[in-house]
């Protein structure tokens, strides 16, 4: 690569870093002050893109930029005052559930308003051409973006360091409780911070329309990248977000320039994983103080009473009789519910009792599914051997990934699990010779004796029930009690000789293995497997199941998996905008029933 090519790739990185910084700076401000895990931030960027395209036709591109940003800021204020301020004190996972519901609602609104097709934006008037740089033509608009990034950084720095409002924001970022005790109006401060963050998100989206079309799927991609930048830079640090955006954008630009374009799918997650392993609090973040309680999500789980055990045994027996009444689609749906119940139980094991928040649990679900497919199709193993050995792939993945993950906590842990899951997804997406690449593996069918829906349903029922029973047994073994002790009071646990990291590593591996079993069952149920089964949306689905059912109950994941699977099936067949309906139901349950269905059932069953 010559000097001119190096310069061009460097400039490409700078241009990409500017818009990435705008989106990440808004998220960093919101999270730094409110501590809200705001998963819908990418949806605001998407709306900024659509609004800028629509407004450009009426008022021109340059007027559309501020108007789109202000419209998104107004929506941000509405969301904060009407919904989000109700969940500021909620656990991180409940915040994720509620804001993921907003993602579904906003995406279907965009679908209804602008349709499914990508919308192409106009060229920026006055900057349509290119400038000659060392014999190469470089877009003038990209040079504008390069200059804009540092200007926004400087403006934010002045705002945060030279104004009273900025002093209040920095005070709330460093110690929110102390700031409240000093009489700061938190409601007004949070609303203003949210408005600024939404404004930056809308502006980031609007600025992108001369470079890429507005599309419905940009929301999750943008929020993943923004979270990566925020975590790499250090939570709440605007200079850190700029440095991280610059680092990630330059690395991606040079990957393309050097001919490693496939790495761009995962390179930011590799960077984040490396940073978090060696500097867990980010490049310019501050190391958090150790606290006595590592999790505020789950109170003590009570052992299942004989009445509960008898009821569940009766439920399993009743399910075993279902094929006598139906052998059609209802049986297929029940099979899916059982598989996802096992997946949700495995996630609940590390999220609740272990206190480890995972945003990438679908990686082990996918590893189990791919393990079954590869053994059956590539190695020629029989279905029985493939089903039995497939979880070893999930076990190996969880063993390796868990070693790194248990060294972190809170949002840093969650983001590392996301990064490692994205790495696994990228390998599956691109390893054509083994995983089938983007097409996946097709033809993963059960053996002749298990080919009928009835027999396979009974197989799934038996395996799922046995695995769930083993999970419950582990919870009330010495291992389970020690695990919860390490979660609730790490300092005391360490004082009495409990090795918290070793216990959490074992729990992480245990949960990943059982997720792999669910993935293998899923592969044989559907006859195929694709990279989507281990992508971020599948991990979020698992979290939604756990939280809908209630993380504080043993049976919560079961009810959550049943409800969510049924909702997806019934609503998708009955409504054109089914995501918005599901999002509205999830949001209502998150706000009205924060303990989930399992918590409500447990209270009603209590004497």
């Amino acid at each position: 690569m010559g000097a001119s090519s190096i310069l061009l790739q460097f400039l490409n990185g700078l241009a990409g870093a500017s818009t990435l910084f705008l989106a990440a700076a808004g998220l960093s401000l919101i999270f730094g002050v409110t501590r809200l895990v705001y998963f819908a931030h990418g949806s605001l960027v998407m709306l900024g893109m659509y609004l800028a395209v629509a407004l450009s036709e009426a008022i021109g591109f340059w007027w559309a930029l501020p108007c789109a940003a202000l419209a998104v800021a107004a929506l941000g204020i509405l969301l904060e005052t009407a919904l989000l301020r109700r969940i500021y004190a909620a656990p991180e996972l409940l915040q994720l559930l509620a804001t993921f519901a907003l993602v579904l609602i906003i995406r279907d609104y965009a679908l209804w308003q602008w349709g499914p097709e990508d919308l192409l934006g106009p060229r920026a008037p006055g900057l349509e051409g290119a400038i000659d740089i060392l014999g190469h033509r470089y877009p003038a608009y990209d040079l504008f973006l390069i200059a804009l990034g540092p200007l926004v950084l400087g403006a934010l720095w002045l705002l945060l360091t030279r104004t009273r409002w900025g002093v209040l924001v920095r005070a709330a970022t460093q110690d929110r409780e102390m700031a409240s005790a000093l009489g700061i109006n938190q409601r007004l401060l949070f609303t203003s911070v949210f408005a600024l963050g939404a404004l930056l998100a809308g502006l980031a989206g609007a600025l992108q329309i001369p470079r890429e079309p507005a599309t419905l799927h940009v929301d999750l991609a943008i929020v993943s990248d923004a979270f990566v930048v925020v975590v790499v830079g250090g939570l709440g640090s605007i200079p850190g977000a700029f440095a991280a955006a610059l680092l990630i954008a330059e690395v991606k630009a040079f990957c393309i320039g050097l001919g490693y374009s496939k790495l761009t799918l995962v390179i930011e997650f590799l960077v984040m994983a490396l940073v978090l392993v060696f500097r867990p609090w980010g490049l310019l973040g501050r190391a958090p103080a150790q606290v006595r309680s590592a999790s505020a999500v789950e109170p003590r789980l009570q052992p299942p009473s004989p009445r509960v055990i008898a009821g569940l045994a009766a439920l399993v027996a009743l399910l075993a009789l279902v094929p006598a009444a139906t052998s059609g689609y209802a049986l297929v749906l029940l099979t899916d519910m059982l598989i996802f119940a096992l997946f949700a139980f495995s996630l609940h094991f590390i999220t609740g009792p272990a206190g480890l928040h995972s945003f990438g649990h679908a990686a082990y679900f996918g590893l189990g599914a791919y393990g079954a497919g590869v053994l059956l199709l590539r190695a020629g193993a029989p279905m029985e051997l493939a089903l039995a050995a497939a979880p070893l792939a999930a076990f190996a993945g969880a063993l390796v990934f868990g070693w790194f993950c248990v060294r972190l906590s809170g949002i840093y842990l969650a983001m590392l699990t996301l990064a490692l899951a994205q790495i696994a997804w990228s390998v599956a997406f691109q390893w054509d010779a083994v995983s089938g690449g983007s097409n996946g593996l097709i033809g993963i069918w059960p053996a002749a004796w298990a080919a009928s829906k009835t027999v396979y349903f009974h197989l799934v029922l038996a395996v799922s029930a046995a695995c769930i029973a083993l999970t419950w047994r582990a919870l009330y073994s010495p291992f389970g009690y020690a695990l919860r002790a390490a979660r609730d009071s790490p300092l005391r646990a360490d004082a009495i000789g409990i090795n918290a990291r070793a216990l959490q590593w074992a729990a992480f591996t245990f949960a990943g293995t059982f997720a792999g079993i669910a993935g293998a069952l899923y592969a044989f149920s559907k006859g195929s497997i694709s990279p989507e089964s281990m992508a971020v949306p599948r991990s979020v689905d698992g979290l939604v199941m756990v939280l809908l059912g209630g993380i504080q109950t043993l049976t919560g994941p079961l009810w959550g998996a049943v409800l969510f699977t049924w909702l997806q099936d019934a609503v998708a067949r009955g409504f054109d905008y089914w995501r918005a309906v599901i999002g509205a139901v999830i949001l209502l349950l998150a706000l009205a029933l924060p303990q989930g269905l399992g918590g409500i059932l447990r209270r009603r069953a209590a004497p």
Side-chain angles (χ1 to χ4, degrees):
M1 181 183 291
S4 59
S5 298
I6 291 175
L7 178 60
L8 288 178
Q9 294 304 327
F10 179 71
L11 292 175
N12 287 334
L14 291 178
S18 290
T19 51
L20 182 56
F21 166 67
L22 287 176
L27 183 60
S28 183
L29 280 171
I30 292 171
F31 186 87
V33 175
T34 68
R35 303 296 192 273
L36 178 70
V37 182
Y38 186 51
F39 209 72
H41 194 69
S43 299
L44 300 185
V45 178
M46 177 191 71
L47 284 179
M49 296 180 73
Y50 275 105
L51 287 171
V53 173
L55 291 172
S56 293
E57 298 177 358
I59 60 177
F61 174 78
W62 291 112
W63 283 107
L65 291 182
C67 290
L70 289 172
V72 173
L75 176 62
I77 293 173
L78 177 63
L79 292 176
E80 194 276 338
T81 54
L83 296 173
L84 299 178
R85 65 173 47 170
R86 302 171 183 267
I87 59 172
Y88 282 144
E92 290 176 347
L93 291 180
L94 190 64
Q95 295 175 353
L96 171 68
L97 178 65
T99 56
F100 176 70
L102 289 177
V103 171
L104 299 178
I105 295 170
I106 293 173
R107 180 182 290 188
D108 263 13
Y109 167 76
L111 175 62
W112 170 77
Q113 180 68 38
W114 291 290
E117 301 297 328
D118 295 351
L119 296 185
L120 295 175
R123 297 283 186 179
L127 297 176
E128 303 97 331
I131 296 175
D132 186 77
I133 299 177
L134 297 180
H136 295 273
R137 302 290 290 172
Y138 192 78
Y141 185 73
D142 285 8
L143 292 176
F144 164 73
L145 292 179
I146 292 172
L148 183 64
L151 288 176
V152 173
L153 173 63
L156 288 175
W157 181 82
L158 290 173
L159 182 65
L160 293 173
T161 60
R162 296 292 186 268
T163 66
R164 184 177 183 276
W165 181 85
V167 172
L168 298 180
V169 168
R170 288 187 289 119
T173 300
Q174 294 177 14
D175 195 328
R176 188 171 59 177
E177 289 74 19
M178 182 60 70
S180 177
L182 292 175
I184 295 175
N185 187 335
Q186 282 202 5
R187 284 198 168 191
L188 182 60
L189 180 64
F190 286 9
T191 302
S192 62
V193 167
F194 213 95
L196 179 57
L199 178 78
L200 292 172
L203 182 60
L207 286 167
Q208 279 294 93
I209 62 170
R211 308 180 77 212
E212 61 181 86
T215 176
L216 293 172
H217 300 287
V218 75
D219 49 4
L220 291 180
I222 286 291
V223 78
S224 295
D225 289 346
F227 264 117
V228 168
V229 169
V230 170
V231 171
V232 170
L235 296 179
S237 172
I238 298 299
F242 185 80
L246 189 60
L247 171 64
I248 290 170
E250 290 293 351
V251 169
K252 292 179 75 170
F254 278 96
C255 282
I256 295 173
L258 294 171
Y260 300 106
S261 57
K262 289 185 176 181
L263 271 177
T264 57
L265 293 173
V266 73
I267 190 62
E268 65 262 42
F269 297 99
L270 284 171
V271 171
M272 181 171 71
L274 289 173
V275 170
L276 290 181
V277 167
F278 294 103
R279 189 174 172 82
W281 49 89
L283 295 176
L284 298 180
R286 296 183 178 183
Q290 189 174 14
V291 295
R292 296 183 68 241
S293 175
S295 174
V297 176
E298 178 211 6
R300 293 177 181 174
L301 284 173
Q302 298 299 325
S305 65
R307 184 173 60 177
V308 171
I309 293 175
L312 291 173
L315 177 61
V316 172
L318 183 63
L319 286 173
L321 298 176
V322 167
T326 179
S327 59
Y329 182 69
L331 200 59
V332 175
L333 185 60
L334 279 173
T335 302
D336 286 348
M337 288 178 179
L338 290 170
I339 292 171
F340 287 118
L342 176 56
F343 175 56
F345 268 99
S346 68
L347 178 57
H348 175 268
F349 186 80
I350 57 172
T351 300
L356 303 173
H357 298 170
S358 174
F359 287 2
H361 200 62
Y364 315 109
F365 181 88
L367 285 173
Y370 271 106
V374 170
L375 286 171
L376 186 77
L377 301 179
R378 303 290 193 243
M383 174 256 191
E384 297 82 359
L385 178 60
L387 186 59
L392 293 176
F395 169 82
L399 185 69
V400 174
F401 290 170
W403 189 86
F404 295 101
C405 291
V406 298
R407 283 155 171 74
L408 304 178
S409 62
I411 191 64
Y412 294 106
L413 164 66
M415 293 309 298
L416 183 58
T417 61
L418 173 64
L420 295 174
Q422 282 296 102
I423 293 170
W425 169 85
S426 175
V427 172
F429 189 82
Q430 300 181 76
W431 199 2
D432 294 339
V434 175
S435 65
S438 58
N439 295 321
L441 298 175
I442 302 173
I444 311 172
W445 297 113
W449 65 268
S452 74
K453 293 184 179 70
T454 299
V455 174
Y456 194 75
F457 170 78
H458 282 128
L459 175 63
V460 171
L461 176 62
V463 173
S464 299
C467 291
I468 290 170
L470 285 173
T471 303
W472 282 355
R473 179 68 186 88
L475 281 176
Y476 295 99
S477 66
F479 168 74
Y481 284 112
L483 187 66
R484 292 199 288 281
R487 177 205 67 191
D488 293 333
S489 188
L491 294 179
R492 290 183 180 179
D494 182 66
I496 62 175
I498 294 177
N499 189 332
R501 281 188 178 178
L503 285 172
Q504 291 173 339
W505 187 20
F508 200 96
T509 305
F510 178 89
T513 303
F514 278 82
I517 295 173
L521 292 171
Y522 181 80
F524 281 110
S525 172
K526 301 304 178 187
S528 63
I529 188 65
S530 66
E532 284 70 26
S533 294
M534 60 196 312
V536 173
R538 177 70 74 197
S539 294
V540 175
D541 286 349
L543 285 168
V544 170
M545 293 174 195
V546 171
L547 294 168
L548 281 180
I551 202 170
Q552 73 281 4
T553 63
L554 281 173
T555 58
L558 171 63
W559 312 125
V562 169
L563 174 62
F564 188 72
T565 306
W566 175 80
L567 269 177
Q568 278 197 321
D569 177 77
V571 176
R573 288 188 288 113
F575 297 89
D576 291 334
Y577 302 103
W578 58 273
R579 292 183 186 85
V581 176
I582 292 178
V585 172
I586 292 174
L587 187 60
L588 178 63
L589 289 173
L591 295 176
L593 305 174
Q595 292 184 341
L597 297 178
I600 301 301
L601 294 174
R602 185 181 67 172
R603 287 208 308 269
R604 290 194 172 183

